[in-house]
Amino acid sequence: MLMSYEKVRKQIEHKPIKLARYEKFNSRKKRKFGKTVYPCRKCGKTRGVIRKYGLIYCRQCFREEAEKLGFRKYS
Ligand SMILES: [Zn+2]
């Protein structure tokens, strides 16, 4: 899933000066803790992320991946 940040970044990739300014003022704040530290590994969502058993999938992706991962009962 492309967020607007990635879309704009792609448009100005070949303009190094503009890109540097864009990154300085628009990139996500780097955190040591908080929800943005663990985005879903499949889609990158930060809401409803399951960290139990080291899954790091959001609840929607977990539902799709659960059977492949070996879960028998998942909903
Ligand atoms: Zn996900």
Side-chain angles (χ1 to χ4, degrees), residues 40-45 56-62:
C40 168
R41 65 170 93 182
K42 194 180 170 194
C43 69
K45 277 180 198 168
I56 321 179
Y57 279 111
C58 72
R59 60 189 182 86
Q60 291 88 348
C61 294
F62 175 70

Side-chain angles (χ1 to χ4, degrees), residues 18-42:
K18 273 204 168 182
L19 185 66
R21 272 188 75 76
Y22 183 73
E23 300 241 287
K24 186 182 175 187
F25 294 109
N26 294 290
S27 57
R28 276 186 186 180
K29 194 175 176 183
K30 286 199 175 76
R31 293 174 200 274
K32 285 179 186 168
F33 49 83
K35 56 169 147 187
T36 56
V37 179
Y38 295 100
C40 168
R41 65 170 93 182
K42 194 180 170 194

